[in-house]
Amino acid sequence: MRIRIPVLAGALALIAGLAPAAAQQVGPTIVVDVASGQVLQSDRGGTPWLPASLTKMMTTYVALRQVRAGRLSLDTGLVVSQRAFRSAPSKMGFRPGTVVTLDNALKMIMVKSANDVSVTIAEGVGGSVEAFAGMMNAEAQRLGMSGTRFINPNGLPGAGQQTTARDMALLARAMMREFPEQAQLWRIPAIRYGNRVMRNPNHLIGRYQGADGFKTGFTCASGFNVVATATRGGRQLIVVVLGATSARGRAETAAGLFERHFVSGGSGIGLDGIANDLSSGPPDIRDQTCRRRGPRGPVYIEAGEELDAEPVAAAHTADPGNLSYAQMMAQQQSRTARPGTRPTALAAMPGAVVSLLGPYRPSTDPVPVFIGSRAPATPPAGPALASAGNRAVTLPAAAPANVTVAPTPPAAAIAPAAGAIRGGAAPAAAIPVRHGAIAPTGAPMMLNGALPPERPATAPPRPAQRAAPATRQNRAANANRQTPRPAQRPQRPAAQP
């Protein structure tokens, strides 16, 4: 009986706990230098792929272009429609008729990846989802994204929607170069809506040194996608990873590509030198991404984008998306090591994990977002005195002739002065007043919450206090008071017998 060499090699690999080499590949990847546009590495960069929520990058780009053209502003109010309300998760869940500004809507789709808010943007900017998709495709064509076509603003599955790693890198670079003042949109660690805090599913933000963008995407058919940016030593790179089979796997793979190319050169070609494959469609990797073996057989896990603390799999796992970049490199090294050479410690230790992601340390607090056409009410910014009673007294803008403006005192000096007023020990001239407040010459100014000065003799009498409950003593005292008694009624004559 003959056993072919490739078959034998594959069987030995499975016995050793290692997957065949072909199974170790994730989807397409590309690395691009932002300043020069030079491609540092491309692995199937022009292969068609499903974009999932990476689509929202183009939604944001189109909206910002319309703002720059003066057709609307970031404060423009957008109304949630029935169609937006019926969108599939992930979403904010706003009721029809809710108004949200374009600025808040863009933050929600770039961090929360809210599908309903994406539809709201499309309808508010383009008039309808279909018209906005036409605007998206027009911008893609203008940028040279020849392998990309959009059918909706959120990336939910649909016939004809596709992109490539090369096109996504081109779009990210265009957004960074054309709208540097909006960089916060793609680097926000988290947003806060009321009491809800929603963290960015991009695991590089706050965990990888220098990470400063960009956007993630997930569907079972597309796998876990990420367009990531990072800056180190004055150099900024774009990394695109498509088709990873876990959220942690895509982040570790992207971090590994950053590590490699921050210290190496490139291929010497631009993005125009990467050809898009226009002869085939994107694959469906649902079975590799969402199929998990449960107690009753295989099941599909749909909510992959919500898996924030997904553990890294052991080194012998055949699923490349669950491996850290260091584990994949260790497996490759253990396969290619020459006979007689000593493997590295990492490759010799099955299950060892060397993650390139550190503990979560966000650079900023969650950014607040809100609904409505205006921000929540805030206290007026005019000249006012803070008070213990939580009130503010706004003073006139111009000082009369007989008043003077007091200089700004240190904060520590205000509290002792207020205490002195309560005790009646501080003279009127020693009362400090905040900058902009007006103190009449020779007259004391009362801080809100402090006790008032002594009343003058001509002050009106205080209102009568509430009567004390009746007791034996005060009843006797009341009896001694000379109070007018009501006139007695005339007595009736006695009845005659």
Side-chain angles (χ1 to χ4, degrees):
M1 180 179 65
R2 282 191 210 169
I3 299 178
R4 294 186 178 182
I5 297 299
V7 176
L8 178 60
L12 292 176
L14 291 174
I15 294 173
L18 303 174
Q24 293 301 315
Q25 299 295 322
V26 293
T29 61
I30 197 169
V31 184
V32 178
D33 185 279
V34 174
S36 65
Q38 184 182 27
V39 177
L40 307 183
Q41 176 182 325
S42 175
D43 178 10
R44 296 166 292 156
T47 299
W49 211 263
L50 296 174
S53 287
L54 299 186
T55 302
K56 297 179 178 75
M57 292 171 55
M58 180 58 82
T59 301
T60 301
Y61 181 71
V62 171
L64 293 178
R65 292 265 300 174
Q66 294 298 304
V67 170
R68 178 161 292 178
R71 298 183 178 92
L72 69 164
S73 73
L74 291 175
D75 294 327
T76 299
L78 310 175
V79 181
V80 178
S81 67
Q82 286 285 351
R83 182 173 184 176
F85 177 69
R86 292 193 300 265
S87 298
S90 169
K91 61 182 184 177
M92 296 296 293
F94 296 143
R95 295 288 181 182
T98 302
V99 177
V100 59
T101 64
L102 178 60
D103 178 61
N104 284 297
L106 293 177
K107 293 172 183 175
M108 292 173 189
I109 70 170
M110 290 297 289
V111 177
K112 172 62 176 173
S113 205
N115 294 324
D116 54 347
V117 178
S118 299
V119 173
T120 300
I121 294 174
E123 294 176 334
V125 175
S128 69
V129 168
E130 292 73 22
F132 189 80
M135 298 170 67
M136 297 169 70
N137 289 322
E139 292 294 346
Q141 183 177 5
R142 184 183 62 83
L143 290 174
M145 300 169 62
S146 59
T148 298
R149 181 173 180 267
F150 298 108
I151 63 171
N152 58 44
N154 46 32
L156 289 174
Q161 187 149 267
Q162 67 179 53
T163 190
T164 66
R166 175 252 185 204
D167 286 0
M168 282 292 111
L170 185 64
L171 175 58
R173 186 167 182 259
M175 295 178 70
M176 297 165 68
R177 292 169 65 86
E178 292 184 35
F179 301 102
E181 72 280 2
Q182 298 296 336
Q184 183 195 28
L185 285 175
W186 43 84
R187 67 176 57 170
I188 299 175
I191 59 174
R192 186 182 73 250
Y193 174 67
N195 294 327
R196 296 167 55 193
V197 174
M198 291 154 274
R199 283 171 54 178
N200 196 324
N202 183 354
H203 293 324
L204 296 167
I205 300 293
R207 289 191 176 98
Y208 181 75
Q209 181 182 3
D212 48 21
F214 209 90
K215 184 73 183 77
T216 63
F218 166 82
T219 63
C220 286
S222 72
F224 291 83
N225 306 332
V226 64
V227 176
T229 58
T231 304
R232 189 177 298 175
R235 188 183 186 195
Q236 191 172 32
L237 303 181
I238 300 171
V239 167
V240 181
V241 176
L242 304 179
T245 52
S246 75
R248 182 64 180 258
R250 73 181 169 192
E252 293 283 4
T253 302
L257 292 172
F258 279 128
E259 288 292 313
R260 173 187 293 181
H261 292 288
F262 270 129
V263 296
S264 65
S267 61
I269 62 174
L271 284 167
D272 292 340
I274 305 296
N276 284 323
D277 180 5
L278 305 179
S279 62
S280 60
D284 185 335
I285 63 170
R286 176 184 174 88
D287 284 342
Q288 295 92 325
T289 304
C290 292
R291 191 179 186 188
R292 299 289 187 266
R293 185 166 297 278
R296 299 182 180 179
V299 295
Y300 287 93
I301 309 298
E302 302 286 348
E305 195 65 273
E306 306 298 331
L307 300 179
D308 183 67
E310 184 172 345
V312 179
H316 62 273
T317 304
D319 184 354
N322 283 329
L323 302 179
S324 71
Y325 181 81
Q327 287 173 314
M328 288 189 286
M329 293 298 102
Q331 286 193 357
Q332 182 178 1
Q333 182 179 6
S334 65
R335 290 195 191 91
T336 58
R338 292 176 296 177
T341 60
R342 184 177 181 181
T344 62
L346 177 62
M349 296 172 58
V353 176
V354 179
S355 175
L356 296 173
L357 306 179
Y360 182 64
R361 293 191 178 94
S363 58
T364 61
D365 292 333
V367 175
V369 295
F370 53 88
I371 59 175
S373 58
R374 295 182 180 180
T378 55
L385 292 176
S387 69
N390 198 24
R391 296 185 308 162
V393 178
T394 303
L395 300 173
N402 63 339
V403 300
T404 58
V405 177
T408 304
I414 297 178
I421 297 171
R422 291 186 179 93
I431 301 176
V433 183
R434 291 186 180 180
H435 180 66
I438 303 173
T441 305
M445 174 172 287
M446 183 182 68
L447 294 176
N448 287 298
L451 294 179
E454 295 181 1
R455 295 179 179 272
T458 60
R462 296 183 179 181
Q465 296 183 351
R466 189 176 180 181
T471 61
R472 180 177 300 177
Q473 289 80 2
N474 58 32
R475 281 199 300 268
N478 292 334
N480 296 330
R481 293 178 182 174
Q482 295 180 358
T483 56
R485 295 182 179 180
Q488 296 181 355
R489 294 179 180 178
Q491 295 182 355
R492 293 180 180 179
Q496 297 296 330

